[in-house]
């Protein structure tokens, strides 16, 4: 274990083995253009030099140039792009280009919260905190519930979230060094972390007189998503009408349909997102309701497994921060790399947060 | 992934018929029409259909709904984790659309025996289309293309007949009043 002196945030790119310190370069052409030409130019550019692998890159950015506040800035890379550099430069997801000191501190404080959740139970568990970064507000938080599923689709869970089975909690001895144990003795003590050992449930011993069920799939991220959805329903009870349905099947099977038919069925999917991005989330006005978790971040102690990572795609999470990699089933770089799956209809940015040694030694208890 | 339209047994088709009924129920409730049934020892033990709109939880796919029911029922009947694992290992899933990456992972975690699905899912499919989770680690048998045209026509109806939940080209209006 290398000794870390300070907190650090590392972007986990969509393709493996690209060093942040030494990204490959590519030629880029940039120009200031008339704003009203932007649509035409982009259409032509998409034909002549499509930005493959870089679907999140914006070609045009509005910037304020002296004496011409409405000027636009067009840029495109040469064909055959596999440029990490241009994605670093042009991405519209905050943080890929680096974090301000203020933003970094926010990231660290939410990660501390997730670490605290991890250590709050009788055994180490994964923990998830969903956050609205625009107002720095916690939307939902949860740790694994593979052993403590209270009841299916219980709407009161908004209030009872994260409360463990009481009998279990009383037997728990708080361990001030819990987080230190997490990193140093990975193999010994993390065997109850759902995303690391998803098949462990089969060995679960049931206690008699239990008040809750076990559920092999209630990993922290899935529970946090469920709570965020329940909160949404609670805050915006009347507005079920803006869900788009592209998340499960965007276009239908290629085995049966002709491409022409597929086109027809391919639902426009990202319009809601852009419409809503500008909205504030803090109010209960129906029109300001965010679509699913669009614009929200999630903090996880361990890199999520494939199931959890895909759930976060479905729920449209914007950024994922995790502290420890998951060498067994990690789906964000360790084993799979879902953020690099082009076919998915939504792509989040992924970051690993490195913890300094002293945080590990004096973990919150 | 084997395609074996001609050798589908009568029971395979009848179970898929039930999954289609579930998908129909989803359609009637303005949900994406995908449905499924779990089968153990030749009997349907659980059904599910998409419930993402109602719950505003985009992970509430048909498979997840049916799995929750199973886990609750088995534990209400006093089954242990080991016994439940034993049951899953003899379970087959019939679902109208290829399980997505999330659901395919979930089915692998539960240790299900096999999956029969209707149409493929070329955006999210976890059983061959995007990832092949059925053939990695603790995988499961997977057979696609069963009553696929029925499954597709339901989905097509949903998207083409003016889905009331469709995103509007402009900022969504306040519909509920
Ligand atoms: Zn997981
Ligand atoms: Zn699914």
């Amino acid at each position: 274990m290398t000794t870390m002196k300070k907190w650090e945030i590392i972007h986990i790119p969509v393709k493996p083995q690209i060093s942040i310190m030494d990204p490959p370069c590519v030629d880029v052409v940039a120009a200031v253009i008339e704003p009203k030409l932007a649509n035409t130019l982009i259409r032509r550019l998409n034909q002549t030099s499509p930005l493959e692998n870089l679907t999140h890159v914006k070609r045009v950015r509005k910037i304020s140039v002296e004496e011409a506040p409405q000027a636009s800035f067009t840029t495109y890379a040469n064909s055959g792009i596999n440029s990490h550099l241009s994605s670093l430069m042009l991405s519209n997801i905050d943080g890929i280009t680096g974090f301000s000191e203020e933003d970094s501190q926010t990231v660290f404080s939410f990660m501390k919260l997730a670490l605290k959740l991890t250590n709050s139970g009788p055994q180490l568990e994964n923990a998830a905190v969903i956050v609205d970064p625009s107002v720095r507000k916690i939307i939902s938080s949860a740790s694994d519930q593979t052993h403590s599923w209270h009841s299916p689709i219980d709407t009161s869970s908004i209030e009872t979230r994260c409360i463990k089975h009481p009998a279990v909690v009383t037997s728990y001895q708080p361990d001030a060094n819990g987080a230190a144990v997490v990193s140093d003795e990975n193999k010994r003590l993390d065997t109850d972390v759902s995303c690391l050992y998803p098949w462990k449930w089969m060995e679960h011993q049931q206690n008699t007189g239990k008040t809750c069920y076990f559920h092999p799939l209630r990993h922290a991220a899935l529970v946090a998503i469920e709570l965020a959805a329940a909160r949404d329903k609670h805050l915006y009870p009347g507005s079920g009408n803006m869900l788009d349905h592209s998340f499960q099947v965007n276009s239908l099977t290629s085995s049966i349909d002709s491409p022409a038919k597929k086109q027809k069925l391919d639902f426009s999917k990202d319009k809601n997102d852009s419409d809503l991005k500008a909205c504030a989330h803090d109010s209960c006005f129906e029109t300001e309701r965010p679509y699913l978790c669009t614009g929200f971040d999630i903090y996880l102690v361990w890199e999520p497994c494939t199931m959890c990572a895909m759930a976060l795609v479905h729920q449209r999470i914007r950024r994922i921060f995790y502290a420890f990699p998951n060498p067994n089933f990690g789906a964000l770089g360790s084993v799979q790399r879902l953020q690099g799956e082009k076919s998915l209809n939504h792509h989040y940015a992924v970051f690993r947060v490195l913890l300094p040694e002293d945080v590990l030694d004096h973990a919150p208890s | 992934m084997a395609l074996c339209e001609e050798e589908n047994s009568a029971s395979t088709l009848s179970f898929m018929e039930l999954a289609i009924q579930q998908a129909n129920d989803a359609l009637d409730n303005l949900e994406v029409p995908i449905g499924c049934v779990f089968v153990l020892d030749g009997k349907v033990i659980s059904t599910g259909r998409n419930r993402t709109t109602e719950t505003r939880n985009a992970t509430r796919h048909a498979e997840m709904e049916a799995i929750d029911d199973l886990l609750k029922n088995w534990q209400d009947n006093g089954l242990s984790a080991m016994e439940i694992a034993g049951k899953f290992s003899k379970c087959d899933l019939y679902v109208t659309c290829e399980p997505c990456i999330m659901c395919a992972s979930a089915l692998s975690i539960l240790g299900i025996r096999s999956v029969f699905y209707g149409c493929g899912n070329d955006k999210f499919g976890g059983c061959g289309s995007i990832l092949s989770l059925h053939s990695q680690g603790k995988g499961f048998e997977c057979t696609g293309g069963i009553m696929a045209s029925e499954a597709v026509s339901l989905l097509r109806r949903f998207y083409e007949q003016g889905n009331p939940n469709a995103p509007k080209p402009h900022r969504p209006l306040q519909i509920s009043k």
Side-chain angles (χ1 to χ4, degrees):
Chain A
M1 196 84 213
T2 50
T3 305
M4 231 69 73
K5 287 279 185 284
K6 56 180 177 59
W7 292 82
E8 202 179 326
I9 307 172
I10 298 177
H11 176 230
I12 311 290
V14 298
K15 286 193 169 178
Q17 285 148 6
I18 295 171
S19 162
I20 294 286
M21 306 314 295
D22 186 25
C25 292
V26 73
D27 292 337
V28 170
V29 181
V32 176
I33 59 159
E34 274 291 313
K36 56 184 167 191
L37 294 176
N39 276 343
T40 316
L41 279 171
I42 285 172
R43 214 172 297 127
R44 289 294 291 276
L45 282 172
N46 282 338
Q47 289 164 357
T48 55
S49 114
L51 286 175
E52 286 169 20
N53 305 331
L54 295 172
T55 48
H56 55 293
V57 170
K58 277 190 173 170
R59 288 191 190 269
V60 180
R61 178 182 294 174
K62 238 183 209 173
I63 50 165
S64 284
V65 178
E66 287 165 61
E67 293 162 20
Q70 287 302 302
S72 297
F73 178 77
T74 298
T75 176
Y76 77 94
N78 286 337
S79 56
I81 288 170
N82 50 5
S83 158
H84 186 57
L85 183 66
S86 45
S87 83
L88 278 173
M89 283 170 44
L90 303 173
S91 170
N92 56 3
I93 300 183
D94 298 344
I96 291 178
T97 53
F99 289 82
S100 71
E101 182 56 28
E102 194 191 3
D103 288 345
S104 300
Q105 291 308 322
T106 308
V107 167
F108 301 150
S109 68
F110 283 125
M111 185 55 84
K112 280 179 197 163
L113 210 72
L115 286 165
K116 200 168 183 170
L117 271 178
T118 275
N119 287 301
S120 67
Q123 65 275 105
L124 291 180
E125 298 172 323
N126 208 350
V129 181
I130 295 178
V131 167
D132 179 348
S134 66
V135 288
R136 297 183 185 185
K137 190 167 142 187
I138 295 170
I139 299 298
S140 69
S141 65
S143 50
D144 286 339
Q145 287 187 358
T146 47
H147 299 209
S148 56
W149 179 31
H150 282 277
S151 75
I153 310 147
D154 179 4
T155 44
S156 69
S157 60
I158 265 193
E159 264 71 52
T160 60
R161 65 188 188 193
C162 303
I163 296 177
K164 293 289 184 326
H165 181 212
V168 177
V169 172
T170 50
S171 65
Y172 167 61
Q173 299 294 313
D175 177 5
N177 293 326
V181 180
V182 173
S183 74
D184 291 348
E185 302 294 335
N186 232 3
K187 289 292 175 285
R188 190 160 61 86
L189 281 166
D190 62 7
T191 55
D192 283 295
V193 176
S194 60
C195 291
L196 288 176
Y197 298 94
W199 285 280
K200 180 88 187 303
W201 69 273
M202 294 184 181
E203 302 158 23
H204 175 57
Q205 301 295 317
Q206 230 153 339
N207 28 356
T208 48
K210 66 190 170 52
T211 57
C212 56
Y213 300 84
F214 74 88
H215 193 310
L217 308 179
R218 289 187 72 79
H219 295 194
L222 265 73
V223 180
I225 286 172
E226 183 181 278
L227 293 172
R231 173 189 176 274
D232 180 33
K233 236 183 144 157
H234 180 74
L235 289 179
Y236 310 93
S239 57
N241 292 301
M242 49 181 284
L243 265 191
D244 94 51
H245 290 276
S246 58
F247 41 76
Q248 192 160 6
V249 181
N250 274 67
S251 59
L252 302 177
T253 171
S254 49
S255 57
I256 312 183
D257 278 12
S258 69
K261 282 178 183 167
K262 267 171 63 182
Q263 289 267 310
K264 243 176 155 180
L265 290 159
D266 200 14
F267 218 56
S268 68
K269 51 191 180 274
D270 285 318
K271 286 175 179 145
N272 270 355
D273 292 6
S274 48
D275 282 347
L276 288 162
K277 230 162 237 168
C279 298
H281 306 315
D282 209 5
S283 139
C284 290
F285 293 114
E286 301 276 306
T287 45
E288 295 186 2
R289 181 185 146 213
Y291 169 63
L292 299 174
C293 284
T294 298
F296 294 170
D297 300 337
I298 191 167
Y299 292 79
L300 289 158
V301 177
W302 275 276
E303 180 187 1
C305 70
T306 310
M307 175 181 73
C308 292
M310 190 60 202
L312 295 169
V313 172
H314 286 316
Q315 200 69 9
R316 308 292 178 89
I317 284 281
R318 187 176 69 136
R319 298 185 299 185
I320 299 176
F321 298 88
Y322 67 82
F324 304 118
N326 174 352
N328 303 349
F329 302 101
L332 302 179
S334 294
V335 179
Q336 314 273 6
R337 194 174 285 260
L338 282 198
Q339 67 268 43
E341 287 295 338
K342 270 189 282 175
S343 81
L344 304 180
N345 67 334
H346 173 75
H347 295 90
Y348 37 58
V350 180
F351 303 90
R352 181 173 170 199
V353 178
L354 297 178
L355 314 179
E357 202 84 325
D358 64 328
V359 168
L360 294 171
D361 288 343
H362 308 287
S365 59
Chain B
M1 167 173 64
L3 291 167
C4 55
E5 192 82 58
E6 68 283 0
E7 33 180 286
N8 288 331
S9 69
S11 70
T12 301
L13 292 176
S14 73
F15 289 134
M16 190 58 84
E17 188 73 53
L18 294 171
I20 298 253
Q21 275 177 27
Q22 288 295 312
N24 253 313
D25 183 51
L27 187 68
D28 291 344
N29 287 279
L30 312 177
E31 300 274 1
V32 176
I34 294 176
C36 73
V37 298
F38 277 83
V39 173
L40 177 66
D41 298 330
K43 280 199 275 285
V44 172
I45 53 167
S46 174
T47 63
R49 52 92 164 162
N50 205 301
R51 213 174 281 274
T52 48
T53 303
E54 180 196 322
T55 58
R56 298 185 199 173
N57 180 340
T59 71
R60 297 312 298 170
H61 293 179
E63 299 93 321
M64 299 303 231
E65 291 283 317
I67 288 165
D68 280 4
D69 276 358
L70 275 182
L71 284 166
K72 186 171 187 301
N73 290 341
W74 280 336
Q75 288 176 75
D76 283 344
N77 288 319
L79 267 62
S80 71
M82 208 196 288
E83 288 166 323
I84 287 173
K87 292 237 179 216
F88 272 124
S89 71
K90 288 181 264 170
C91 266
D92 300 325
L93 168 70
Y94 294 78
V95 57
T96 56
C97 183
E98 177 188 355
C100 73
I101 289 167
M102 173 188 73
C103 292
S105 300
L107 294 164
S108 167
I109 290 171
L110 297 173
I112 196 174
R113 182 172 69 183
S114 54
V115 170
F116 299 88
Y117 68 80
C119 59
N121 184 342
D122 60 6
K123 280 268 198 304
F124 303 126
C127 301
S129 291
I130 309 301
L131 297 182
S132 295
L133 298 159
H134 63 298
S135 59
Q136 295 169 11
K138 197 173 174 66
F140 44 85
E141 291 286 312
C142 207
T143 310
I146 296 153
M147 299 178 67
S149 48
E150 285 88 340
V152 167
S153 73
L154 273 176
L155 289 159
R156 181 169 299 133
R157 259 172 65 200
F158 180 78
Y159 288 116
E160 284 183 353
Q161 77 181 5
N163 163 22
N165 293 342
K168 306 291 179 285
H170 301 293
R171 188 191 180 94
L173 298 170
Q174 203 166 333
I175 299 164
S176 55
K177 256 287 144 68

